[in-house]
Amino acid sequence: MVDMQKSELPRLAILGGTGNEGPGLALRWGSAGYPIIIGSRYADKAQETAQALNEQLGIETIQGMVNNQAARKADICVLTVVHTAHQAAIESLGEDLQGKILVDATARVDFRDPRPPAPPSAARMAQDKLGPGVRVVAAFQNIPAHLLKKRLGEALDADVLVCADDQEAAQQVMQLAENAGMSAYYAGGLDNAVVVEGLTAIAISLNKHYGVKTASIAVTGIPKEP
Amino acid sequence: MVDMQKSELPRLAILGGTGNEGPGLALRWGSAGYPIIIGSRYADKAQETAQALNEQLGIETIQGMVNNQAARKADICVLTVVHTAHQAAIESLGEDLQGKILVDATARVDFRDPRPPAPPSAARMAQDKLGPGVRVVAAFQNIPAHLLKKRLGEALDADVLVCADDQEAAQQVMQLAENAGMSAYYAGGLDNAVVVEGLTAIAISLNKHYGVKTASIAVTGIPKEP
């Protein structure tokens, strides 16, 4: 029964998945039973990361391959590159992503000079570049990598703001978040994502001022469904 | 003893204080014992709002007067105009605000087309216009007016992100927030305020999608001091 359910879970590719955020998300989703592919510009680096994640979870199903191949094999692709690599990644993956959901998790900030970004959002730029054949959803930008890697079975003390023009794609990504132990909220269209991208600048300031690595935000004022 | 403490509380002017957010903040601070002046472009409107607040709280100390006079008489001024009136308010109050702290609570959003704003933040623009004789602090932009007016004695389910270049001024405003039942966090310099201003667009989307009026955010990942 469990195996049947698991076989129905979408296959996830985490593109640029050898950094900080990507492996954290992979751990959560791998642990929840999703089939995972780690993508990287370099196949050997992707395979190394996949292997390390398999060992950590005691499984053998996480694969590593180059980004393009990973994107083609997946149902939902999650982009976790650093913001300086965002545009090049979108351009090189345009064909491979057609027909799929692209979750843009790019933290749009220069860590040496962490100022808030100006519109349009990275997610809007991605959507404009990729065209209507790809459904872009912005999510997970504000989830500290530090939190993802800890206590995998427990709920995270940070909420996911999901911005998308396509409601059905947003719902699928909210399900991904919930299955990884995060509460997710639909927070408007892709233009709103620039605010979530800017929360990284706020989190950096909070982390610095309060001497932590885990500052983020939760949504308040919305009663949870029973 | 209580009177002595109260007499040491700074006098607050709430400029543009006859709208939605201003009276909510006035209720909280008036109820906490702060001397309050409601400012408006029209003296009679200011006095009407002050009178209504006095009646609601069962006190007689809240005064109403025109913005310029209110600003001159106060120690800390809180600007709660709508964003279309922000620039004109700053220009007309420049002289009256010298030597004081200006708390910029402007929700920088057009409610008919609620897109996130571009940098610079309203608070940065105010600081540039007012010069170094005024210490601008951005705060309270994301606190739903709806929440402020309810259950005055209880803590609010929304946190205040305080952005300021001047740390000592930020501390004073954080104290104001705490005394009004809100947890406040120092979230970086005035440039970061554009993100908090943009949270209004997120809150509008959340309110619409989830059918509430109270969506906001709380800070997570920072242990509370004992």
Side-chain angles (χ1 to χ4, degrees), chain A residues 88 99-100 189 199:
Chain A
K100 302 180 193 289
L199 283 173

Side-chain angles (χ1 to χ4, degrees), chain A residues 3-217:
Chain A
D3 282 344
M4 270 190 62
Q5 287 181 333
K6 284 193 179 177
S7 70
E8 289 165 17
L9 291 174
R11 181 175 300 273
L12 309 179
I14 304 183
L15 308 175
T18 59
N20 214 0
E21 191 84 359
L25 289 167
L27 278 176
R28 293 255 156 191
W29 285 319
S31 149
Y34 285 90
I36 308 271
I37 308 166
I38 298 290
S40 166
R41 280 183 297 167
Y42 309 103
D44 54 350
K45 214 171 146 189
Q47 284 154 8
E48 268 172 39
T49 299
Q51 190 49 34
L53 292 167
N54 277 329
E55 283 170 20
Q56 197 173 339
L57 292 173
I59 61 178
E60 293 182 343
T61 54
I62 301 180
Q63 296 177 280
M65 51 190 83
V66 292
N67 281 324
N68 299 72
Q69 200 182 351
R72 283 193 180 267
K73 282 186 184 286
D75 302 304
I76 300 178
C77 297
V78 184
L79 185 63
T80 60
V81 295
V82 294
H83 89 115
T84 46
H86 183 261
Q87 194 181 337
I90 293 297
E91 280 168 8
S92 72
L93 292 164
E95 282 184 33
D96 309 298
L97 292 170
Q98 294 303 314
K100 302 180 193 289
I101 290 174
L102 176 68
V103 182
D104 197 334
T106 304
R108 194 156 155 240
V109 75
D110 178 344
F111 284 85
R112 291 157 304 181
D113 180 20
R115 291 176 193 230
S121 65
R124 170 64 69 204
M125 288 188 280
Q127 183 68 74
D128 287 350
K129 190 83 72 177
L130 294 167
V134 181
R135 293 183 292 166
V136 176
V137 178
F140 305 111
Q141 311 96 316
N142 66 305
I143 305 298
H146 203 75
L147 280 184
L148 288 170
K149 296 173 184 172
K150 282 189 172 177
R151 295 188 289 264
L152 296 185
E154 291 179 23
L156 257 79
D157 191 17
D159 290 347
V160 182
L161 295 168
V162 176
C163 299
D165 293 348
D166 185 300
Q167 292 276 345
E168 197 272 330
Q171 289 301 324
Q172 287 196 50
V173 176
M174 289 165 72
Q175 191 62 56
L176 281 188
E178 302 279 351
N179 287 352
M182 295 171 257
S183 292
Y185 294 87
Y186 178 71
L190 287 175
D191 291 326
N192 275 4
V194 74
V195 181
V196 190
E197 293 167 5
L199 283 173
T200 304
I202 297 285
I204 291 171
S205 293
L206 290 169
N207 281 340
K208 191 175 162 193
H209 188 78
Y210 293 97
V212 299
K213 293 177 177 177
T214 49
S216 188
I217 62 106

Side-chain angles (χ1 to χ4, degrees), chain A residues 157 186 205 210 214 216 218 220-221, chain B residues 157 186 192 205 210 214 216 218 220-221:
Chain A
D157 191 17
Y186 178 71
S205 293
Y210 293 97
T214 49
S216 188
T220 63
Chain B
D157 192 18
Y186 178 71
N192 274 5
S205 293
Y210 293 96
T214 49
S216 189
T220 62

